[in-house]
């Protein structure tokens, strides 16, 4: 059930939503874990807050409110990471702040959290967050092994002496992303 | 600022360091916009450029004032860019009543906030920031048209089932990114 959801409903895989951090913060596996966990927590917390406030929020202010909520949690994530994980914070750069306007986080708040109840919204946010984490972490591991010959900083036999520098660059991120989406497409019932 | 510097900044922002293909800002929006018609792509590209310029004009002095409270930067920049998008939406509705393109979707386009944050992070001066914003906006417009053109040509050919949709789009972007990286 969960595996099917990850492949067929993943907003990044199907709609490209939230692809910016998925592509930018995956040069190393460590950075990808940092970004994945941050986005997942921001998504879950902002969805919970939005679902709690949904009755008092009109359609007109839903989008700005969703952005302000996610910007608030993104700021908190930045401060926590700068205090406790300064190396990862330096790796992520401005991309952690960009989560404030992440299409996946904001549209989830608009479409799910503001329409459904607390439980349903929380469940959907957790599933979407785990899907995002899985994709970003796999991308980070693949790019670090191929681009640097290491995995979480440890040298990987064979790959350490046969690195392909392009996988550390933007073009390489798109290549890995395309291949992962195509592999996921093989398991999808109906590719769109 | 000399003419040489102006050309160098514009060249970098539009081509060599295109924010969509080298920094991934607004990559989702380009994917969505490139499916729309030429009028909508042009309208969205120019609106993004205008929003970027106005946002930079506002965020640059705010960032200078926030020097002692940098933890507020993300929140303030998000509020400013969203407010500018709402103003742009209001103006677009007044000026162009037949417009069917959604201006509000620019609020979640990471290229706007991304450019403002990069300008602040790199410590650009006021003139350089505004110039870079113009370049980033034009670079975004170029990216939309290039992706739409490549997409149209590729969709005429047979695409294996697993590669249809987002995977082939990512592959197209990979080739464009590698081409621009070579510049």
């Amino acid at each position: 059930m969960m595996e099917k959801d990850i492949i067929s409903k993943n907003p990044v895989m199907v709609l490209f939503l939230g692809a910016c951090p998925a592509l930018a913060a995956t040069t190393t596996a460590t950075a990808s874990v940092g970004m994945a966990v941050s986005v997942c927590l921001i998504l879950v917390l902002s969805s919970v807050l939005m679902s709690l406030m949904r009755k008092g929020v009109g359609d007109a202010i839903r989008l700005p409110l969703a952005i302000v909520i996610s910007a608030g949690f993104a700021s908190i994530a930045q401060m926590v990471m700068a205090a406790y994980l300064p190396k990862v914070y330096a790796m992520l750069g401005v991309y952690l702040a960009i989560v404030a306007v992440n299409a996946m986080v904001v549209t989830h708040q608009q479409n799910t959290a503001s329409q459904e109840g607390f439980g349903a919204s929380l469940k959907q946010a957790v599933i979407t967050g785990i899907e995002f984490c899985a994709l970003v972490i796999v991308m980070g591991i693949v790019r670090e092994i191929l681009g640097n010959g290491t995995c979480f900083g440890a040298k990987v036999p064979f790959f350490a002496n046969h690195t392909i520098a392009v996988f550390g660059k933007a073009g390489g991120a798109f290549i890995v992303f395309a291949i992962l989406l195509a592999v996921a497409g093989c398991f999808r019932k109906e590719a769109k | 600022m000399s003419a040489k510097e102006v050309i160098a900044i514009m060249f970098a922002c539009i081509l060599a360091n295109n924010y969509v293909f080298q920094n991934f800002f607004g990559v989702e929006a380009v994917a969505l916009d490139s499916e729309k018609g030429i009028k909508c792509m042009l309208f969205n590209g120019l609106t993004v450029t205008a929003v970027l310029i106005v946002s930079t004009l506002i965020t640059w002095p705010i960032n200078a004032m926030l020097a002692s409270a940098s933890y507020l930067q993300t929140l303030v920049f998000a509020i400013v860019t969203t407010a500018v998008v709402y103003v742009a939406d209001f103006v677009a509705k007044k000026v162009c009543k037949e417009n069917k393109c959604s201006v509000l979707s620019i609020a979640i386009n990471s290229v706007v906030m991304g450019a403002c944050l990069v300008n602040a992070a790199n410590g650009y001066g006021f003139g350089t920031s505004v110039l870079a914003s113009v370049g980033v906006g034009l670079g975004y417009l170029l990216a939309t048209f290039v992706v739409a053109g490549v997409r149209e040509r590729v969709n005429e050919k047979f695409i294996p089932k697993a590669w249809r949709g987002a995977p082939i789009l990512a592959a197209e972007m990979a080739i464009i990114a590698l081409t621009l990286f070579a510049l």
Side-chain angles (χ1 to χ4, degrees), chain A residues 53-179:
Chain A
M53 296 195 298
R54 71 185 188 281
K55 285 178 184 169
V57 177
D59 285 349
I61 60 156
R62 201 169 282 163
L63 175 65
L65 183 66
I67 291 173
V68 169
I69 290 172
S70 49
F73 283 116
S75 300
I76 294 168
Q78 278 183 294
M79 286 186 268
V80 171
M81 205 166 266
Y84 296 103
L85 298 163
K87 282 184 183 174
V88 181
Y89 179 68
M91 282 181 198
L92 297 180
V94 296
Y95 293 103
L96 191 54
I98 286 296
V99 180
V101 289
N102 186 301
M104 184 181 73
V105 176
V106 176
T107 51
H108 187 272
Q109 285 186 66
Q110 276 188 289
N111 300 338
T112 311
S114 58
Q115 312 278 334
E116 294 174 18
F118 175 80
S121 168
L122 179 64
K123 185 186 164 192
Q124 192 57 44
V126 170
I127 291 171
T128 309
I130 292 170
E131 292 165 1
F132 182 83
C133 282
L135 177 75
V136 172
I137 292 169
V138 170
M139 266 191 80
I141 291 170
V142 172
R143 283 185 71 193
E144 190 179 344
I145 291 173
L146 295 176
N148 284 344
T150 56
C151 185
F152 289 100
K155 280 190 177 179
V156 178
F158 180 77
F159 291 103
N161 299 323
H162 300 86
T163 56
I164 309 167
V166 78
F167 283 102
K169 310 286 180 196
F174 280 116
I175 292 170
V176 175
F177 190 53
I179 293 170

Side-chain angles (χ1 to χ4, degrees), chain B residues 79-99:
Chain B
I79 291 169
V80 169
T81 52
T82 309
V84 174
V85 170
Y86 269 81
V87 173
D89 182 53
F90 177 76
V91 173
K93 278 178 183 165
K94 290 281 175 197
V95 174
C96 187
K97 286 178 182 172
E98 290 173 5
N99 171 46

Side-chain angles (χ1 to χ4, degrees), chain A residues 31-43 81 129 132-133 136-137:
Chain A
S32 70
V33 172
M35 177 56 85
V37 173
S38 306
V39 172
C40 186
L41 287 175
I42 292 168
L43 175 68
M81 205 166 266
F132 182 83
C133 282
V136 172
I137 292 169

Side-chain angles (χ1 to χ4, degrees), chain B residues 52-164:
Chain B
L52 256 167
I53 295 167
V54 177
S55 298
T56 306
L57 290 173
I58 300 170
T59 53
W60 193 89
I62 290 178
N63 188 57
M65 287 187 276
L66 282 179
S68 59
S70 57
Y71 55 88
L72 286 173
Q73 191 192 50
T74 304
L75 192 60
V76 172
F77 277 31
I79 291 169
V80 169
T81 52
T82 309
V84 174
V85 170
Y86 269 81
V87 173
D89 182 53
F90 177 76
V91 173
K93 278 178 183 165
K94 290 281 175 197
V95 174
C96 187
K97 286 178 182 172
E98 290 173 5
N99 171 46
K100 288 175 184 172
C101 309
S102 168
V103 175
L104 290 181
S105 64
I106 297 171
I108 51 170
N109 187 339
S110 54
V111 79
V112 179
M113 194 171 155
C116 295
L117 286 168
V118 170
N119 289 342
N122 291 346
Y124 289 161
F126 186 72
T128 313
S129 295
V130 175
L131 199 61
S133 298
V134 176
V136 171
L138 295 177
Y140 175 84
L141 184 63
L142 176 80
T144 315
F145 274 90
V146 171
V147 171
V150 174
R151 208 171 184 178
E152 199 180 325
R153 294 292 293 274
V154 170
N155 286 345
E156 289 170 2
K157 312 287 180 195
F158 171 74
I159 303 166
K161 196 178 167 186
W163 282 85
R164 284 176 208 158

